[in-house]
Amino acid sequence: MSAPPASLEESNRLFPLPESEARRADLRKWILNYVPKGAIGAEIGTFRGQFSEVLLKFLEPRKVYFVDPWTLHGEFFGDAADPALTAADALPTALALQEARWRAAQFPNTESVFIEGRFPECAARIDDKLDWLYLDADLRLEPTLAALQAATEVMAPKGILFGNEWWPNTSTARNEVFQALGQFTRKSKYELIAAGPFGQWAIRHRGAWKTKK
């Protein structure tokens, strides 16, 4: 690539996302009915920002932290991302970050903060208590448990922690997030409030929602 794309439209022409990705983003948005609008949130695993647009449009947040390793992977994503989403690994990591910035810029009423880092190691760089956090990462059991614990430490008392990759089918290797959520909710004060279609789930602190007498 002689010169980087000058716009989101040009980048999408050079490195198109599969049509199925747009459909998948639309099918996931049912979970947003459990999340407060006009609040402060974070998206862990922003990548090219395709689901960021859904979060920004539907939730109309005051401020969002977008977190992803991006260029920490190197010039390209390699095995860290699905080749179908990176044009067979031709998409530069720096351009994926720029795409996320372009998408967020379409929502000027939201303050957007971009953090290049691996969660939970970079959790301390989130300066606000969050009303919501979306965890969109293909994680194994132990890393998911660590991410869940770190996420709860940056949540506001009534914050909603939600995310992707909830697959209860034990015959597939993709169900480790499901296992992690089961372990976490049994051992913590968080409870599952929604889970199901297209791998989406949401939990909240049960004590913060008890009716006071």
Side-chain angles (χ1 to χ4, degrees):
M1 185 170 61
S2 57
S7 68
L8 179 60
E9 292 74 16
E10 183 182 357
S11 185
N12 284 334
R13 284 197 300 271
L14 291 170
F15 307 102
L17 284 163
E19 290 185 9
S20 59
E21 188 66 11
R23 291 195 298 272
R24 192 172 76 92
D26 187 62
L27 292 169
R28 284 192 282 168
K29 69 182 181 184
W30 69 268
I31 196 67
L32 302 182
N33 291 301
Y34 295 86
V35 184
K37 293 186 177 183
I40 300 175
E43 181 189 27
I44 311 301
T46 300
F47 190 40
R48 297 175 68 172
Q50 58 269 40
F51 196 61
S52 308
E53 285 189 87
V54 177
L55 294 170
L56 289 163
K57 183 176 181 179
F58 193 95
L59 297 177
E60 300 177 343
R62 300 195 308 276
K63 182 177 182 179
V64 180
Y65 292 85
F66 296 106
V67 182
D68 198 283
W70 283 303
T71 64
L72 299 182
H73 290 298
E75 186 178 1
F76 299 98
F77 286 96
D79 295 336
D82 185 342
L85 307 181
T86 62
D89 203 30
L91 174 77
T93 54
L95 183 56
L97 169 56
Q98 182 57 55
E99 281 196 8
R101 290 184 182 277
W102 278 326
R103 288 186 164 96
Q106 298 173 106
F107 302 87
N109 292 330
T110 298
E111 179 184 353
S112 298
V113 179
F114 290 82
I115 297 176
E116 274 200 277
R118 292 183 170 87
F119 194 84
E121 290 83 358
C122 66
R125 294 166 63 184
I126 296 175
D127 296 328
D128 296 277
K129 287 296 183 182
L130 303 175
D131 301 299
W132 56 264
L133 182 148
Y134 188 73
L135 183 62
D136 187 7
D138 185 12
L139 299 173
R140 304 280 70 84
L141 179 62
E142 293 303 324
T144 299
L145 286 169
L148 289 169
Q149 182 57 49
T152 63
E153 293 170 7
V154 297
M155 301 299 291
K158 291 189 177 183
I160 300 297
L161 174 55
F162 66 122
N164 199 23
E165 297 294 334
W166 190 87
W167 305 111
N169 187 348
T170 56
S171 66
T172 173
R174 295 183 63 194
N175 78 330
E176 292 190 51
V177 170
F178 168 79
Q179 294 179 47
L181 283 164
Q183 290 187 30
F184 186 75
T185 52
R186 286 194 299 271
K187 296 178 180 179
S188 73
K189 294 182 179 180
Y190 275 73
E191 63 182 350
L192 187 70
I193 59 171
F198 310 103
Q200 304 307 287
W201 55 267
I203 61 176
R204 67 184 180 188
H205 193 289
R206 60 173 67 93
W209 293 87
K210 288 181 178 178
T211 302
K212 293 183 180 180
K213 296 181 179 180

